[in-house]
Amino acid sequence: MMITSKMEQAFNSQIQKEFHSAYLYLAMSVYCETQNYSGFAHWLKVQYNEEQEHAMKMVAYLLERGGKVTLQTLEAPPVDYGSPLQVFENVLKHEQFITSSIHSLYETAVAEKDLAAQIFLQWYVTEQVEEEANATQIVEQLKMIGDKSSGILYVDKALEKRQ
Ligand code: FEO
């Protein structure tokens, strides 16, 4: 069954959001690097790669369904992000926004009676639970630490290990 134009449009818009997420996390990674937080920078760079994978998986799917991929403009992300806690609060807020947009994409698939897209999107629904949990954990740790630089450096070091 060929994808409906409504679904096609909704997928294209989500592809834009995933690439924008990648771009945002790259900007945050670069920012952390300039602040000498190489672990946070590394974590965000891995996240940047993951977001590109999220987008590319949708690009491949849309093509597979005979849909038209229309890449959209990416807005320039900010340059400065404040303290490490502010960086990760920003990540969490962004992931919550992505979760709600994945949910509305899923709801569109339900409304369009697109069963195949619903199954495809289940992976994203599950992935968002993990995305929010990961960001929440870092936010909570940084909150506990407050402005103790030894604690911040400890978390920074720990995040260097992300695969
Ligand atoms: Fe692709 Fe972080 O959601």
Side-chain angles (χ1 to χ4, degrees), residues 14 17-19 21-22 25 47 50-55 58 91 94-96 98-99 102 123-124 127-128 131-132:
Q14 190 63 38
K17 288 193 182 80
E18 298 294 341
F19 277 127
S21 305
Y25 295 146
Q47 195 63 30
E50 274 200 6
E51 297 302 347
Q52 289 190 92
E53 283 168 19
H54 294 171
M58 278 189 189
V91 171
H94 185 71
E95 286 305 327
Q96 287 163 341
I98 293 296
T99 299
I102 290 286
W123 182 87
Y124 287 86
E127 175 73 5
Q128 281 313 118
E131 295 275 74
E132 284 194 30

Side-chain angles (χ1 to χ4, degrees), residues 7-163:
M7 279 309 292
E8 184 184 82
Q9 214 175 34
F11 266 113
N12 274 309
S13 150
Q14 190 63 38
I15 288 167
Q16 193 262 357
K17 288 193 182 80
E18 298 294 341
F19 277 127
H20 176 256
S21 305
Y23 215 26
L24 176 68
Y25 295 146
L26 178 60
M28 288 179 175
S29 174
V30 168
Y31 171 76
C32 287
E33 203 65 73
T34 64
Q35 304 292 305
N36 296 313
Y37 290 124
S38 58
F40 296 140
H42 169 75
W43 190 95
L44 288 157
K45 205 163 141 202
V46 173
Q47 195 63 30
Y48 155 74
N49 288 327
E50 274 200 6
E51 297 302 347
Q52 289 190 92
E53 283 168 19
H54 294 171
M56 288 309 294
K57 213 169 139 138
M58 278 189 189
V59 166
Y61 184 72
L62 196 47
L63 290 174
E64 209 179 353
R65 292 288 305 277
K68 188 175 174 190
V69 175
T70 312
L71 295 177
Q72 293 162 23
T73 310
L74 293 180
E75 203 186 309
V79 175
D80 296 318
Y81 294 91
S83 67
L85 174 60
Q86 285 170 325
V87 169
F88 283 92
E89 279 176 335
N90 208 326
V91 171
L92 178 58
K93 205 176 89 202
H94 185 71
E95 286 305 327
Q96 287 163 341
F97 162 71
I98 293 296
T99 299
S100 70
S101 84
I102 290 286
H103 288 185
S104 38
L105 179 55
Y106 190 96
E107 279 157 22
T108 307
V110 172
E112 292 290 285
K113 298 187 167 54
D114 190 334
L115 296 183
Q118 288 170 44
I119 292 166
F120 171 76
L121 287 170
Q122 277 173 13
W123 182 87
Y124 287 86
V125 173
T126 307
E127 175 73 5
Q128 281 313 118
V129 174
E130 198 190 306
E131 295 275 74
E132 284 194 30
N134 290 342
T136 302
Q137 191 188 29
I138 301 168
V139 166
E140 293 304 321
Q141 284 175 351
L142 289 172
K143 270 187 185 162
M144 267 189 297
I145 287 160
D147 50 16
K148 278 193 231 80
S149 53
S150 59
I152 297 172
L153 289 174
Y154 180 83
V155 179
D156 179 63
K157 199 89 199 130
L159 294 189
E160 199 135 39
K161 295 187 186 79
R162 185 180 182 186
Q163 303 287 314

